[in-house]
Amino acid sequence: MTEQIPATTAELLREAARRVCDAAQFPPGTKLVGEEDKGGGLLAAVSLLSGLPYGIARWYPSGLEGQVQVDFDCEYTGGSLFLNGVEPGDNVYIVDDLISTGGTLVGLVSAVRKAGAEVSGILCVVEKRSYGGARRVFEATGISVQSLIEVDVSGEHSVVVGVNY
């Protein structure tokens, strides 16, 4: 959410996780999924506040049985995601801090489906609207991305252009 410049405060993380929980209204039995990089801290905070378990996609294999591998590409990197903790029949809600081009989310949806689970929703705290990521995710997966804050990063400074909470 801040690229850690300055460091993300506990208050910001707590508030973001609280707003995710309020906006998503997770149904009972939901399992959360996200990626381990920048969204991992948010995912853990949402898990703590909601009481829901989470599975995490890593950027390198663990070698554990049941791990699902999918390829992905995004604005700054590409490669493979390795998903742990998702079982066939799980009802999954994907949580991430930021959507830009949507490549990571397309990969996460693919991994969840490959694991035999169903994605019931995707929620991101911030959306870089001009990057078209939400449209890309919908076109590739049929799932709409809900975002809490929309920003324009095309100028010298980021500008909030939409608040959805």
PDB file of all heavy atoms in Angstrom, residues 23-64:
ATOM      1  N   ALA A  23     -15.898  -4.718   3.893  1.00  0.00           N
ATOM      2  CA  ALA A  23     -16.367  -4.681   2.500  1.00  0.00           C
ATOM      3  C   ALA A  23     -16.654  -6.071   1.943  1.00  0.00           C
ATOM      4  O   ALA A  23     -17.613  -6.254   1.186  1.00  0.00           O
ATOM      5  CB  ALA A  23     -15.334  -3.971   1.624  1.00  0.00           C
ATOM      6  N   ALA A  24     -15.843  -7.051   2.312  1.00  0.00           N
ATOM      7  CA  ALA A  24     -15.988  -8.385   1.731  1.00  0.00           C
ATOM      8  C   ALA A  24     -17.126  -9.171   2.368  1.00  0.00           C
ATOM      9  O   ALA A  24     -17.778  -9.960   1.701  1.00  0.00           O
ATOM     10  CB  ALA A  24     -14.684  -9.161   1.865  1.00  0.00           C
ATOM     11  N   GLN A  25     -17.371  -8.996   3.644  1.00  0.00           N
ATOM     12  CA  GLN A  25     -18.396  -9.767   4.354  1.00  0.00           C
ATOM     13  C   GLN A  25     -18.287 -11.246   3.983  1.00  0.00           C
ATOM     14  O   GLN A  25     -19.181 -11.824   3.379  1.00  0.00           O
ATOM     15  CB  GLN A  25     -19.780  -9.211   4.070  1.00  0.00           C
ATOM     16  CG  GLN A  25     -19.925  -7.767   4.519  1.00  0.00           C
ATOM     17  CD  GLN A  25     -21.289  -7.180   4.209  1.00  0.00           C
ATOM     18  OE1 GLN A  25     -22.125  -7.796   3.561  1.00  0.00           O
ATOM     19  NE2 GLN A  25     -21.511  -5.968   4.664  1.00  0.00           N
ATOM     20  N   PHE A  26     -17.164 -11.842   4.355  1.00  0.00           N
ATOM     21  CA  PHE A  26     -16.853 -13.224   3.993  1.00  0.00           C
ATOM     22  C   PHE A  26     -17.903 -14.196   4.524  1.00  0.00           C
ATOM     23  O   PHE A  26     -18.227 -14.164   5.708  1.00  0.00           O
ATOM     24  CB  PHE A  26     -15.497 -13.628   4.570  1.00  0.00           C
ATOM     25  CG  PHE A  26     -14.364 -12.716   4.183  1.00  0.00           C
ATOM     26  CD1 PHE A  26     -13.719 -11.951   5.134  1.00  0.00           C
ATOM     27  CD2 PHE A  26     -13.943 -12.628   2.869  1.00  0.00           C
ATOM     28  CE1 PHE A  26     -12.671 -11.114   4.802  1.00  0.00           C
ATOM     29  CE2 PHE A  26     -12.898 -11.784   2.520  1.00  0.00           C
ATOM     30  CZ  PHE A  26     -12.261 -11.028   3.485  1.00  0.00           C
ATOM     31  N   PRO A  27     -18.408 -15.079   3.662  1.00  0.00           N
ATOM     32  CA  PRO A  27     -19.338 -16.097   4.152  1.00  0.00           C
ATOM     33  C   PRO A  27     -18.604 -17.126   5.012  1.00  0.00           C
ATOM     34  O   PRO A  27     -17.395 -17.325   4.862  1.00  0.00           O
ATOM     35  CB  PRO A  27     -19.885 -16.732   2.872  1.00  0.00           C
ATOM     36  CG  PRO A  27     -18.981 -16.322   1.772  1.00  0.00           C
ATOM     37  CD  PRO A  27     -18.216 -15.122   2.219  1.00  0.00           C
ATOM     38  N   PRO A  28     -19.317 -17.776   5.932  1.00  0.00           N
ATOM     39  CA  PRO A  28     -18.681 -18.827   6.744  1.00  0.00           C
ATOM     40  C   PRO A  28     -18.047 -19.893   5.858  1.00  0.00           C
ATOM     41  O   PRO A  28     -18.561 -20.200   4.782  1.00  0.00           O
ATOM     42  CB  PRO A  28     -19.850 -19.416   7.540  1.00  0.00           C
ATOM     43  CG  PRO A  28     -20.894 -18.341   7.539  1.00  0.00           C
ATOM     44  CD  PRO A  28     -20.722 -17.602   6.243  1.00  0.00           C
ATOM     45  N   GLY A  29     -16.934 -20.413   6.299  1.00  0.00           N
ATOM     46  CA  GLY A  29     -16.251 -21.468   5.550  1.00  0.00           C
ATOM     47  C   GLY A  29     -15.308 -20.970   4.476  1.00  0.00           C
ATOM     48  O   GLY A  29     -14.718 -21.764   3.753  1.00  0.00           O
ATOM     49  N   THR A  30     -15.152 -19.666   4.360  1.00  0.00           N
ATOM     50  CA  THR A  30     -14.265 -19.097   3.353  1.00  0.00           C
ATOM     51  C   THR A  30     -12.811 -19.300   3.742  1.00  0.00           C
ATOM     52  O   THR A  30     -12.461 -19.245   4.912  1.00  0.00           O
ATOM     53  CB  THR A  30     -14.541 -17.580   3.194  1.00  0.00           C
ATOM     54  OG1 THR A  30     -15.875 -17.409   2.736  1.00  0.00           O
ATOM     55  CG2 THR A  30     -13.578 -16.930   2.210  1.00  0.00           C
ATOM     56  N   LYS A  31     -11.979 -19.519   2.748  1.00  0.00           N
ATOM     57  CA  LYS A  31     -10.528 -19.535   2.933  1.00  0.00           C
ATOM     58  C   LYS A  31      -9.973 -18.355   2.141  1.00  0.00           C
ATOM     59  O   LYS A  31     -10.366 -18.122   1.004  1.00  0.00           O
ATOM     60  CB  LYS A  31      -9.922 -20.842   2.416  1.00  0.00           C
ATOM     61  CG  LYS A  31      -8.427 -20.966   2.700  1.00  0.00           C
ATOM     62  CD  LYS A  31      -7.898 -22.325   2.260  1.00  0.00           C
ATOM     63  CE  LYS A  31      -8.310 -23.378   3.255  1.00  0.00           C
ATOM     64  NZ  LYS A  31      -7.796 -24.711   2.917  1.00  0.00           N
ATOM     65  N   LEU A  32      -9.096 -17.612   2.747  1.00  0.00           N
ATOM     66  CA  LEU A  32      -8.467 -16.480   2.085  1.00  0.00           C
ATOM     67  C   LEU A  32      -7.250 -16.952   1.302  1.00  0.00           C
ATOM     68  O   LEU A  32      -6.566 -17.891   1.706  1.00  0.00           O
ATOM     69  CB  LEU A  32      -8.020 -15.449   3.119  1.00  0.00           C
ATOM     70  CG  LEU A  32      -9.092 -14.947   4.074  1.00  0.00           C
ATOM     71  CD1 LEU A  32      -8.466 -14.076   5.155  1.00  0.00           C
ATOM     72  CD2 LEU A  32     -10.170 -14.198   3.322  1.00  0.00           C
ATOM     73  N   VAL A  33      -6.953 -16.265   0.202  1.00  0.00           N
ATOM     74  CA  VAL A  33      -5.753 -16.553  -0.593  1.00  0.00           C
ATOM     75  C   VAL A  33      -5.145 -15.233  -1.035  1.00  0.00           C
ATOM     76  O   VAL A  33      -5.850 -14.273  -1.353  1.00  0.00           O
ATOM     77  CB  VAL A  33      -6.085 -17.431  -1.826  1.00  0.00           C
ATOM     78  CG1 VAL A  33      -4.969 -17.407  -2.857  1.00  0.00           C
ATOM     79  CG2 VAL A  33      -6.352 -18.866  -1.408  1.00  0.00           C
ATOM     80  N   GLY A  34      -3.829 -15.194  -1.060  1.00  0.00           N
ATOM     81  CA  GLY A  34      -3.091 -14.048  -1.561  1.00  0.00           C
ATOM     82  C   GLY A  34      -1.686 -14.470  -1.888  1.00  0.00           C
ATOM     83  O   GLY A  34      -1.343 -15.653  -1.804  1.00  0.00           O
ATOM     84  N   GLU A  35      -0.861 -13.498  -2.243  1.00  0.00           N
ATOM     85  CA  GLU A  35       0.532 -13.814  -2.554  1.00  0.00           C
ATOM     86  C   GLU A  35       1.436 -13.319  -1.443  1.00  0.00           C
ATOM     87  O   GLU A  35       1.067 -12.440  -0.682  1.00  0.00           O
ATOM     88  CB  GLU A  35       0.933 -13.277  -3.925  1.00  0.00           C
ATOM     89  CG  GLU A  35       0.664 -11.815  -4.143  1.00  0.00           C
ATOM     90  CD  GLU A  35       1.758 -10.888  -3.652  1.00  0.00           C
ATOM     91  OE1 GLU A  35       2.914 -11.308  -3.557  1.00  0.00           O
ATOM     92  OE2 GLU A  35       1.450  -9.739  -3.344  1.00  0.00           O
ATOM     93  N   GLU A  36       2.629 -13.905  -1.368  1.00  0.00           N
ATOM     94  CA  GLU A  36       3.503 -13.657  -0.224  1.00  0.00           C
ATOM     95  C   GLU A  36       4.249 -12.338  -0.268  1.00  0.00           C
ATOM     96  O   GLU A  36       4.764 -11.897   0.746  1.00  0.00           O
ATOM     97  CB  GLU A  36       4.523 -14.788  -0.090  1.00  0.00           C
ATOM     98  CG  GLU A  36       5.606 -14.758  -1.150  1.00  0.00           C
ATOM     99  CD  GLU A  36       6.676 -15.802  -0.922  1.00  0.00           C
ATOM    100  OE1 GLU A  36       6.796 -16.328   0.182  1.00  0.00           O
ATOM    101  OE2 GLU A  36       7.403 -16.089  -1.880  1.00  0.00           O
ATOM    102  N   ASP A  37       4.306 -11.697  -1.391  1.00  0.00           N
ATOM    103  CA  ASP A  37       5.116 -10.492  -1.507  1.00  0.00           C
ATOM    104  C   ASP A  37       4.453  -9.348  -0.745  1.00  0.00           C
ATOM    105  O   ASP A  37       4.167  -9.449   0.431  1.00  0.00           O
ATOM    106  CB  ASP A  37       5.331 -10.160  -2.986  1.00  0.00           C
ATOM    107  CG  ASP A  37       6.337  -9.052  -3.231  1.00  0.00           C
ATOM    108  OD1 ASP A  37       7.313  -8.960  -2.471  1.00  0.00           O
ATOM    109  OD2 ASP A  37       6.132  -8.286  -4.179  1.00  0.00           O
ATOM    110  N   LYS A  38       4.157  -8.258  -1.376  1.00  0.00           N
ATOM    111  CA  LYS A  38       3.616  -7.080  -0.699  1.00  0.00           C
ATOM    112  C   LYS A  38       2.241  -7.327  -0.089  1.00  0.00           C
ATOM    113  O   LYS A  38       1.894  -6.720   0.913  1.00  0.00           O
ATOM    114  CB  LYS A  38       3.570  -5.902  -1.655  1.00  0.00           C
ATOM    115  CG  LYS A  38       4.955  -5.441  -2.082  1.00  0.00           C
ATOM    116  CD  LYS A  38       4.885  -4.286  -3.045  1.00  0.00           C
ATOM    117  CE  LYS A  38       4.346  -4.773  -4.362  1.00  0.00           C
ATOM    118  NZ  LYS A  38       4.305  -3.792  -5.415  1.00  0.00           N
ATOM    119  N   GLY A  39       1.459  -8.201  -0.651  1.00  0.00           N
ATOM    120  CA  GLY A  39       0.120  -8.470  -0.123  1.00  0.00           C
ATOM    121  C   GLY A  39       0.089  -9.431   1.042  1.00  0.00           C
ATOM    122  O   GLY A  39      -0.944  -9.602   1.691  1.00  0.00           O
ATOM    123  N   GLY A  40       1.207 -10.076   1.335  1.00  0.00           N
ATOM    124  CA  GLY A  40       1.234 -11.090   2.389  1.00  0.00           C
ATOM    125  C   GLY A  40       0.923 -10.553   3.775  1.00  0.00           C
ATOM    126  O   GLY A  40       0.229 -11.209   4.562  1.00  0.00           O
ATOM    127  N   GLY A  41       1.430  -9.374   4.093  1.00  0.00           N
ATOM    128  CA  GLY A  41       1.146  -8.780   5.395  1.00  0.00           C
ATOM    129  C   GLY A  41      -0.325  -8.466   5.556  1.00  0.00           C
ATOM    130  O   GLY A  41      -0.927  -8.719   6.613  1.00  0.00           O
ATOM    131  N   LEU A  42      -0.941  -7.909   4.516  1.00  0.00           N
ATOM    132  CA  LEU A  42      -2.373  -7.620   4.542  1.00  0.00           C
ATOM    133  C   LEU A  42      -3.170  -8.910   4.688  1.00  0.00           C
ATOM    134  O   LEU A  42      -4.106  -8.980   5.481  1.00  0.00           O
ATOM    135  CB  LEU A  42      -2.802  -6.874   3.280  1.00  0.00           C
ATOM    136  CG  LEU A  42      -4.301  -6.622   3.152  1.00  0.00           C
ATOM    137  CD1 LEU A  42      -4.794  -5.654   4.226  1.00  0.00           C
ATOM    138  CD2 LEU A  42      -4.624  -6.100   1.759  1.00  0.00           C
ATOM    139  N   LEU A  43      -2.794  -9.935   3.944  1.00  0.00           N
ATOM    140  CA  LEU A  43      -3.499 -11.214   4.001  1.00  0.00           C
ATOM    141  C   LEU A  43      -3.493 -11.768   5.423  1.00  0.00           C
ATOM    142  O   LEU A  43      -4.526 -12.206   5.941  1.00  0.00           O
ATOM    143  CB  LEU A  43      -2.861 -12.211   3.033  1.00  0.00           C
ATOM    144  CG  LEU A  43      -3.479 -13.600   2.968  1.00  0.00           C
ATOM    145  CD1 LEU A  43      -4.897 -13.535   2.416  1.00  0.00           C
ATOM    146  CD2 LEU A  43      -2.619 -14.512   2.107  1.00  0.00           C
ATOM    147  N   ALA A  44      -2.340 -11.739   6.075  1.00  0.00           N
ATOM    148  CA  ALA A  44      -2.244 -12.232   7.451  1.00  0.00           C
ATOM    149  C   ALA A  44      -3.095 -11.388   8.399  1.00  0.00           C
ATOM    150  O   ALA A  44      -3.781 -11.924   9.280  1.00  0.00           O
ATOM    151  CB  ALA A  44      -0.792 -12.252   7.907  1.00  0.00           C
ATOM    152  N   ALA A  45      -3.085 -10.070   8.226  1.00  0.00           N
ATOM    153  CA  ALA A  45      -3.886  -9.193   9.082  1.00  0.00           C
ATOM    154  C   ALA A  45      -5.380  -9.452   8.890  1.00  0.00           C
ATOM    155  O   ALA A  45      -6.144  -9.488   9.865  1.00  0.00           O
ATOM    156  CB  ALA A  45      -3.550  -7.726   8.797  1.00  0.00           C
ATOM    157  N   VAL A  46      -5.814  -9.653   7.648  1.00  0.00           N
ATOM    158  CA  VAL A  46      -7.221  -9.952   7.380  1.00  0.00           C
ATOM    159  C   VAL A  46      -7.593 -11.297   7.993  1.00  0.00           C
ATOM    160  O   VAL A  46      -8.677 -11.452   8.575  1.00  0.00           O
ATOM    161  CB  VAL A  46      -7.521  -9.914   5.864  1.00  0.00           C
ATOM    162  CG1 VAL A  46      -8.921 -10.446   5.562  1.00  0.00           C
ATOM    163  CG2 VAL A  46      -7.365  -8.491   5.327  1.00  0.00           C
ATOM    164  N   SER A  47      -6.708 -12.263   7.923  1.00  0.00           N
ATOM    165  CA  SER A  47      -6.948 -13.560   8.550  1.00  0.00           C
ATOM    166  C   SER A  47      -7.130 -13.416  10.059  1.00  0.00           C
ATOM    167  O   SER A  47      -8.057 -13.984  10.642  1.00  0.00           O
ATOM    168  CB  SER A  47      -5.780 -14.510   8.246  1.00  0.00           C
ATOM    169  OG  SER A  47      -5.922 -15.730   8.943  1.00  0.00           O
ATOM    170  N   LEU A  48      -6.268 -12.637  10.699  1.00  0.00           N
ATOM    171  CA  LEU A  48      -6.377 -12.426  12.142  1.00  0.00           C
ATOM    172  C   LEU A  48      -7.692 -11.745  12.522  1.00  0.00           C
ATOM    173  O   LEU A  48      -8.341 -12.145  13.497  1.00  0.00           O
ATOM    174  CB  LEU A  48      -5.199 -11.589  12.646  1.00  0.00           C
ATOM    175  CG  LEU A  48      -3.863 -12.318  12.733  1.00  0.00           C
ATOM    176  CD1 LEU A  48      -2.738 -11.324  12.999  1.00  0.00           C
ATOM    177  CD2 LEU A  48      -3.903 -13.393  13.809  1.00  0.00           C
ATOM    178  N   LEU A  49      -8.084 -10.716  11.775  1.00  0.00           N
ATOM    179  CA  LEU A  49      -9.320  -9.995  12.095  1.00  0.00           C
ATOM    180  C   LEU A  49     -10.584 -10.805  11.794  1.00  0.00           C
ATOM    181  O   LEU A  49     -11.569 -10.711  12.517  1.00  0.00           O
ATOM    182  CB  LEU A  49      -9.382  -8.672  11.335  1.00  0.00           C
ATOM    183  CG  LEU A  49      -8.478  -7.560  11.839  1.00  0.00           C
ATOM    184  CD1 LEU A  49      -8.642  -6.312  10.976  1.00  0.00           C
ATOM    185  CD2 LEU A  49      -8.760  -7.229  13.289  1.00  0.00           C
ATOM    186  N   SER A  50     -10.546 -11.577  10.712  1.00  0.00           N
ATOM    187  CA  SER A  50     -11.742 -12.313  10.292  1.00  0.00           C
ATOM    188  C   SER A  50     -11.847 -13.684  10.939  1.00  0.00           C
ATOM    189  O   SER A  50     -12.926 -14.275  10.969  1.00  0.00           O
ATOM    190  CB  SER A  50     -11.737 -12.487   8.764  1.00  0.00           C
ATOM    191  OG  SER A  50     -10.671 -13.348   8.361  1.00  0.00           O
ATOM    192  N   GLY A  51     -10.739 -14.208  11.439  1.00  0.00           N
ATOM    193  CA  GLY A  51     -10.729 -15.559  11.987  1.00  0.00           C
ATOM    194  C   GLY A  51     -10.708 -16.639  10.920  1.00  0.00           C
ATOM    195  O   GLY A  51     -10.888 -17.815  11.225  1.00  0.00           O
ATOM    196  N   LEU A  52     -10.470 -16.244   9.659  1.00  0.00           N
ATOM    197  CA  LEU A  52     -10.475 -17.198   8.548  1.00  0.00           C
ATOM    198  C   LEU A  52      -9.062 -17.677   8.242  1.00  0.00           C
ATOM    199  O   LEU A  52      -8.104 -16.907   8.332  1.00  0.00           O
ATOM    200  CB  LEU A  52     -11.071 -16.549   7.300  1.00  0.00           C
ATOM    201  CG  LEU A  52     -12.533 -16.127   7.410  1.00  0.00           C
ATOM    202  CD1 LEU A  52     -12.953 -15.335   6.182  1.00  0.00           C
ATOM    203  CD2 LEU A  52     -13.431 -17.342   7.607  1.00  0.00           C
ATOM    204  N   PRO A  53      -8.923 -18.944   7.829  1.00  0.00           N
ATOM    205  CA  PRO A  53      -7.606 -19.452   7.438  1.00  0.00           C
ATOM    206  C   PRO A  53      -7.194 -18.892   6.085  1.00  0.00           C
ATOM    207  O   PRO A  53      -8.032 -18.399   5.322  1.00  0.00           O
ATOM    208  CB  PRO A  53      -7.830 -20.965   7.342  1.00  0.00           C
ATOM    209  CG  PRO A  53      -9.272 -21.094   6.971  1.00  0.00           C
ATOM    210  CD  PRO A  53      -9.977 -19.947   7.663  1.00  0.00           C
ATOM    211  N   TYR A  54      -5.899 -18.981   5.790  1.00  0.00           N
ATOM    212  CA  TYR A  54      -5.448 -18.528   4.480  1.00  0.00           C
ATOM    213  C   TYR A  54      -4.426 -19.476   3.885  1.00  0.00           C
ATOM    214  O   TYR A  54      -3.684 -20.145   4.577  1.00  0.00           O
ATOM    215  CB  TYR A  54      -4.911 -17.105   4.528  1.00  0.00           C
ATOM    216  CG  TYR A  54      -3.593 -16.891   5.250  1.00  0.00           C
ATOM    217  CD1 TYR A  54      -2.380 -16.953   4.568  1.00  0.00           C
ATOM    218  CD2 TYR A  54      -3.555 -16.610   6.600  1.00  0.00           C
ATOM    219  CE1 TYR A  54      -1.176 -16.730   5.217  1.00  0.00           C
ATOM    220  CE2 TYR A  54      -2.366 -16.388   7.258  1.00  0.00           C
ATOM    221  CZ  TYR A  54      -1.172 -16.453   6.561  1.00  0.00           C
ATOM    222  OH  TYR A  54       0.012 -16.232   7.205  1.00  0.00           O
ATOM    223  N   GLY A  55      -4.443 -19.506   2.557  1.00  0.00           N
ATOM    224  CA  GLY A  55      -3.420 -20.177   1.770  1.00  0.00           C
ATOM    225  C   GLY A  55      -2.624 -19.102   1.061  1.00  0.00           C
ATOM    226  O   GLY A  55      -3.164 -18.033   0.742  1.00  0.00           O
ATOM    227  N   ILE A  56      -1.369 -19.372   0.815  1.00  0.00           N
ATOM    228  CA  ILE A  56      -0.524 -18.325   0.252  1.00  0.00           C
ATOM    229  C   ILE A  56       0.214 -18.837  -0.987  1.00  0.00           C
ATOM    230  O   ILE A  56       0.637 -19.985  -1.028  1.00  0.00           O
ATOM    231  CB  ILE A  56       0.451 -17.775   1.305  1.00  0.00           C
ATOM    232  CG1 ILE A  56       1.011 -16.433   0.871  1.00  0.00           C
ATOM    233  CG2 ILE A  56       1.537 -18.773   1.639  1.00  0.00           C
ATOM    234  CD1 ILE A  56       1.512 -15.606   2.027  1.00  0.00           C
ATOM    235  N   ALA A  57       0.311 -17.957  -1.973  1.00  0.00           N
ATOM    236  CA  ALA A  57       1.074 -18.271  -3.185  1.00  0.00           C
ATOM    237  C   ALA A  57       2.477 -17.714  -3.006  1.00  0.00           C
ATOM    238  O   ALA A  57       2.658 -16.541  -2.718  1.00  0.00           O
ATOM    239  CB  ALA A  57       0.402 -17.663  -4.413  1.00  0.00           C
ATOM    240  N   ARG A  58       3.433 -18.585  -3.173  1.00  0.00           N
ATOM    241  CA  ARG A  58       4.833 -18.205  -3.027  1.00  0.00           C
ATOM    242  C   ARG A  58       5.449 -18.004  -4.401  1.00  0.00           C
ATOM    243  O   ARG A  58       4.925 -18.439  -5.405  1.00  0.00           O
ATOM    244  CB  ARG A  58       5.573 -19.326  -2.283  1.00  0.00           C
ATOM    245  CG  ARG A  58       4.988 -19.600  -0.915  1.00  0.00           C
ATOM    246  CD  ARG A  58       5.436 -20.939  -0.371  1.00  0.00           C
ATOM    247  NE  ARG A  58       6.879 -21.063  -0.403  1.00  0.00           N
ATOM    248  CZ  ARG A  58       7.619 -21.400   0.646  1.00  0.00           C
ATOM    249  NH1 ARG A  58       7.046 -21.649   1.796  1.00  0.00           N
ATOM    250  NH2 ARG A  58       8.917 -21.505   0.543  1.00  0.00           N
ATOM    251  N   TRP A  59       6.608 -17.375  -4.416  1.00  0.00           N
ATOM    252  CA  TRP A  59       7.317 -17.102  -5.667  1.00  0.00           C
ATOM    253  C   TRP A  59       8.372 -18.164  -5.955  1.00  0.00           C
ATOM    254  O   TRP A  59       9.100 -18.066  -6.930  1.00  0.00           O
ATOM    255  CB  TRP A  59       7.959 -15.717  -5.606  1.00  0.00           C
ATOM    256  CG  TRP A  59       6.944 -14.625  -5.540  1.00  0.00           C
ATOM    257  CD1 TRP A  59       5.981 -14.447  -4.588  1.00  0.00           C
ATOM    258  CD2 TRP A  59       6.769 -13.575  -6.469  1.00  0.00           C
ATOM    259  NE1 TRP A  59       5.235 -13.341  -4.869  1.00  0.00           N
ATOM    260  CE2 TRP A  59       5.705 -12.773  -6.016  1.00  0.00           C
ATOM    261  CE3 TRP A  59       7.422 -13.212  -7.637  1.00  0.00           C
ATOM    262  CZ2 TRP A  59       5.267 -11.649  -6.698  1.00  0.00           C
ATOM    263  CZ3 TRP A  59       6.985 -12.080  -8.300  1.00  0.00           C
ATOM    264  CH2 TRP A  59       5.921 -11.321  -7.836  1.00  0.00           C
ATOM    265  N   TYR A  60       8.439 -19.171  -5.109  1.00  0.00           N
ATOM    266  CA  TYR A  60       9.397 -20.261  -5.295  1.00  0.00           C
ATOM    267  C   TYR A  60       8.777 -21.532  -4.712  1.00  0.00           C
ATOM    268  O   TYR A  60       7.947 -21.469  -3.807  1.00  0.00           O
ATOM    269  CB  TYR A  60      10.735 -19.936  -4.616  1.00  0.00           C
ATOM    270  CG  TYR A  60      10.588 -19.550  -3.161  1.00  0.00           C
ATOM    271  CD1 TYR A  60      10.629 -20.509  -2.153  1.00  0.00           C
ATOM    272  CD2 TYR A  60      10.358 -18.230  -2.798  1.00  0.00           C
ATOM    273  CE1 TYR A  60      10.461 -20.157  -0.826  1.00  0.00           C
ATOM    274  CE2 TYR A  60      10.193 -17.870  -1.473  1.00  0.00           C
ATOM    275  CZ  TYR A  60      10.252 -18.842  -0.490  1.00  0.00           C
ATOM    276  OH  TYR A  60      10.083 -18.495   0.831  1.00  0.00           O
ATOM    277  N   PRO A  61       9.158 -22.684  -5.225  1.00  0.00           N
ATOM    278  CA  PRO A  61       8.537 -23.930  -4.763  1.00  0.00           C
ATOM    279  C   PRO A  61       9.030 -24.340  -3.380  1.00  0.00           C
ATOM    280  O   PRO A  61      10.171 -24.092  -3.011  1.00  0.00           O
ATOM    281  CB  PRO A  61       8.977 -24.945  -5.825  1.00  0.00           C
ATOM    282  CG  PRO A  61      10.251 -24.403  -6.363  1.00  0.00           C
ATOM    283  CD  PRO A  61      10.131 -22.905  -6.295  1.00  0.00           C
ATOM    284  N   SER A  62       8.126 -24.975  -2.636  1.00  0.00           N
ATOM    285  CA  SER A  62       8.508 -25.528  -1.340  1.00  0.00           C
ATOM    286  C   SER A  62       8.768 -27.018  -1.447  1.00  0.00           C
ATOM    287  O   SER A  62       9.366 -27.597  -0.546  1.00  0.00           O
ATOM    288  CB  SER A  62       7.397 -25.288  -0.312  1.00  0.00           C
ATOM    289  OG  SER A  62       6.233 -26.015  -0.681  1.00  0.00           O
ATOM    290  N   GLY A  63       8.261 -27.631  -2.514  1.00  0.00           N
ATOM    291  CA  GLY A  63       8.421 -29.062  -2.680  1.00  0.00           C
ATOM    292  C   GLY A  63       7.412 -29.875  -1.900  1.00  0.00           C
ATOM    293  O   GLY A  63       7.490 -31.103  -1.864  1.00  0.00           O
ATOM    294  N   LEU A  64       6.453 -29.204  -1.263  1.00  0.00           N
ATOM    295  CA  LEU A  64       5.446 -29.907  -0.480  1.00  0.00           C
ATOM    296  C   LEU A  64       4.397 -30.531  -1.383  1.00  0.00           C
ATOM    297  O   LEU A  64       4.046 -29.971  -2.423  1.00  0.00           O
ATOM    298  CB  LEU A  64       4.780 -28.954   0.501  1.00  0.00           C
ATOM    299  CG  LEU A  64       5.689 -28.349   1.563  1.00  0.00           C
ATOM    300  CD1 LEU A  64       4.934 -27.293   2.357  1.00  0.00           C
ATOM    301  CD2 LEU A  64       6.231 -29.437   2.480  1.00  0.00           C
TER     302      LEU A  64
END
